[in-house]
Amino acid sequence: MSLLTPYYLFVEIAFLFPRGYGEYSETYHQMMTLLVWSAVILILITELPTIAKRFKRVGTDSILIAAYFFCAIFITLFTRKKMSSGLQQMLAAPIFCVFLLQNMKTHPRNLLDSLATVFIVSLSLNIIITHLAFASHFHIIFLGHVQMVSQYGVAALTVSSLYFMTYKDKKIKMGYLILITLLTMLTTDADSAVFSALIILIGFVSYKFKLYRVFLFKAEIYMIGMIALNIIVIYLTVVNRKIIPGLDFSGRRFIWQDALLNIKNQPIFGYGIDGVLLHTFWTEQSGGGFNYAHNQILQNLLDGGVTLTFFFWMMILAFIKPARKIPKGKYRIVVNCSIIALLFVMIFDSATLYSYMYIILALIYSAPVLCKEKSMQRKYDIKKIWHNIK
């Protein structure tokens, strides 16, 4: 067996490792952390020589993606005077992103297949272990907090869909991954997971019956639309409650209200990554708080004010812009559905606190590569058939 497969599996297991027990066991949490940083070191050792060779050919998209992470680090150092927490967001996530982008160029089939393997094992164990050990725990499952299931699920569905469309093999494996992912998303107590699964299902229906038009707009249009919807939801929920008085979104109103008060005090540079705690009426008894805004725009504003928010959306734009180069309608549907689902999740959850978002974005960015792979595979199959006829 090639060393490529165990290398991929180790890195992917480290970043997709089930987080549930980490809420209760410090030893388990430390083990997860050790895994992530071991994977980071391995990536640096393995990928840096190749990156160094290509450094002179760095494009605008790569600069915009890197700019977000550099900005996050700089603002955190500037506002907090230290980097004692949030290191995985600032350092591990961009290195994982490099790993994904680099290997989607060189070995897309191996990368997608190994990702599918890790997702299948994690999701299968989640169903069993959650039922046995987490049934009585509020909003915690074996994979982690239910708020991450939407991103995790969209990533798994994107992996399985793109692999099957490109290579047309391992149908049982990819079909099982799709089914178990949808089952997890639809049965988890998280509305964002349910709605993002429904978006993917609508995309599947469009794919199956060739109703392409809805999902063939430029990716930038979906981004602008979702940003606008994001702002409208916050406005109706917190700023002007007279229009729809009952909007609450499972207590997010109180979280967003406190987030806006904090943002008002530090609008330009925010507080740095993990630099401020949010407080609600249910945290008053414990005296604690949390750094999870349950909304990506508010999270960006807390982490780095309007400065980091600008660079974040420039990064998203850099990731999704290559989607316009996809010539095939079926690929465009899968990619645009993934974009819409991810951006929808950002209305109700903070995607940057996890690494799953970067799997989705890296696959979206690399979709034109898969289209070329598909064309090459088709030419190979035609030659093989012709050779057999002769």
Side-chain angles (χ1 to χ4, degrees):
M1 182 176 66
S2 168
L3 289 175
L4 197 65
T5 300
Y7 165 51
Y8 284 176
L9 288 173
F10 180 79
V11 172
E12 292 155 6
I13 288 169
F15 281 93
L16 295 172
F17 202 74
R19 295 167 171 260
Y21 279 119
E23 299 283 337
Y24 308 104
S25 170
E26 183 60 29
T27 302
Y28 188 89
H29 180 77
Q30 289 174 356
M31 184 176 69
M32 288 192 301
T33 304
L34 179 62
L35 262 178
V36 168
W37 291 113
S38 299
V40 166
I41 293 168
L42 183 59
I43 293 169
L44 290 173
I45 293 169
T46 308
E47 307 293 344
L48 269 183
T50 307
I51 295 168
K53 290 178 183 178
R54 297 182 179 179
F55 186 75
K56 293 181 180 179
R57 292 177 289 167
V58 173
T60 305
D61 292 340
S62 299
I63 292 170
L64 287 174
I65 292 168
Y68 164 73
F69 293 106
F70 281 119
C71 183
I73 293 168
F74 176 79
I75 288 175
T76 301
L77 287 172
F78 176 75
T79 57
R80 297 185 62 193
K81 312 299 181 187
K82 59 181 180 179
M83 286 174 59
S84 57
S85 59
L87 290 175
Q88 289 194 25
Q89 286 185 61
M90 290 182 282
L91 299 177
I95 291 169
F96 182 50
C97 201
V98 168
F99 162 81
L100 292 166
L101 292 171
Q102 182 68 25
N103 287 282
M104 278 302 293
K105 287 181 183 178
T106 55
H107 302 95
R109 185 174 196 147
N110 301 75
L111 186 68
L112 289 173
D113 188 32
S114 58
L115 277 168
T117 300
V118 175
F119 276 123
I120 285 172
V121 173
S122 297
L123 288 164
S124 299
L125 287 174
N126 177 68
I127 290 176
I128 299 167
I129 298 177
T130 296
H131 178 72
L132 294 175
F134 289 87
S136 62
H137 295 271
F138 184 67
H139 279 181
I140 301 294
I141 59 177
F142 179 59
L143 287 177
H145 197 283
V146 294
Q147 67 203 9
M148 47 72 65
V149 171
S150 52
Q151 300 167 60
Y152 202 92
V154 173
L157 290 172
T158 305
V159 166
S160 53
S161 301
L162 288 177
Y163 182 93
F164 177 75
M165 287 172 61
T166 306
Y167 303 108
K168 296 293 184 184
D169 63 4
K170 302 192 177 182
K171 295 180 182 180
I172 295 176
K173 179 179 181 178
M174 298 304 157
Y176 175 71
L177 177 54
I178 290 171
L179 288 174
I180 199 170
T181 302
L182 289 173
L183 176 65
T184 302
M185 295 174 77
L186 293 172
T187 57
T188 298
D189 187 19
D191 292 340
S192 59
V194 174
F195 282 113
S196 54
L198 290 176
I199 291 169
I200 299 295
L201 286 171
I202 291 169
F204 173 76
V205 172
S206 301
Y207 173 92
K208 194 70 176 174
F209 295 98
K210 299 184 179 180
L211 304 172
Y212 297 163
R213 191 175 297 276
V214 176
F215 294 100
L216 290 183
F217 294 108
K218 290 182 179 178
E220 296 91 327
I221 293 175
Y222 299 112
M223 188 185 89
I224 293 168
M226 280 298 177
I227 291 173
L229 180 61
N230 201 320
I231 294 169
I232 289 168
V233 167
I234 294 171
Y235 178 78
L236 294 177
T237 308
V238 181
V239 181
N240 189 349
R241 290 184 48 77
K242 293 181 180 179
I243 300 174
I244 309 178
L247 280 185
D248 182 72
F249 297 114
S250 302
R252 281 173 173 79
R253 172 168 70 92
F254 304 101
I255 299 169
W256 294 348
Q257 190 172 2
D258 194 60
L260 287 172
L261 290 172
N262 282 282
I263 290 163
K264 186 178 179 181
N265 294 328
Q266 296 270 32
I268 307 301
F269 294 110
Y271 299 87
I273 301 295
D274 205 27
V276 65
L277 294 179
L278 299 176
H279 302 277
T280 58
F281 67 87
W282 61 82
T283 64
E284 290 178 1
Q285 293 181 346
S286 63
F290 50 88
N291 183 258
Y292 191 88
H294 285 277
N295 177 277
Q296 189 55 54
I297 291 178
L298 294 181
Q299 191 71 55
N300 291 144
L301 289 168
L302 287 169
D303 291 343
V306 293
T307 307
L308 188 63
T309 304
F310 170 79
F311 281 104
F312 174 82
W313 289 104
M314 286 298 100
M315 176 187 73
I316 297 295
L317 182 62
F319 270 116
I320 69 175
K321 191 173 65 174
R324 68 172 70 167
K325 300 176 185 177
I326 300 172
K328 299 181 183 297
K330 291 182 178 180
Y331 276 90
R332 287 278 290 276
I333 285 180
V334 171
V335 166
N336 284 339
C337 278
S338 298
I339 292 170
I340 294 167
L342 177 61
L343 294 174
F344 179 82
V345 167
M346 290 182 186
I347 299 175
F348 301 103
D349 293 309
S350 304
T352 45
L353 272 71
Y354 302 101
S355 59
Y356 318 128
M357 174 182 75
Y358 299 107
I359 297 175
I360 303 165
L361 292 173
L363 296 183
I364 290 168
Y365 185 85
S366 304
V369 173
L370 294 176
C371 288
K372 291 179 182 177
E373 282 269 309
K374 173 80 171 178
S375 299
M376 291 171 64
Q377 184 75 26
R378 184 172 295 169
K379 289 178 182 178
Y380 173 78
D381 291 340
I382 291 171
K383 285 182 180 179
K384 190 175 180 180
I385 292 169
W386 179 248
H387 178 75
N388 290 336
I389 292 172
K390 290 174 70 176

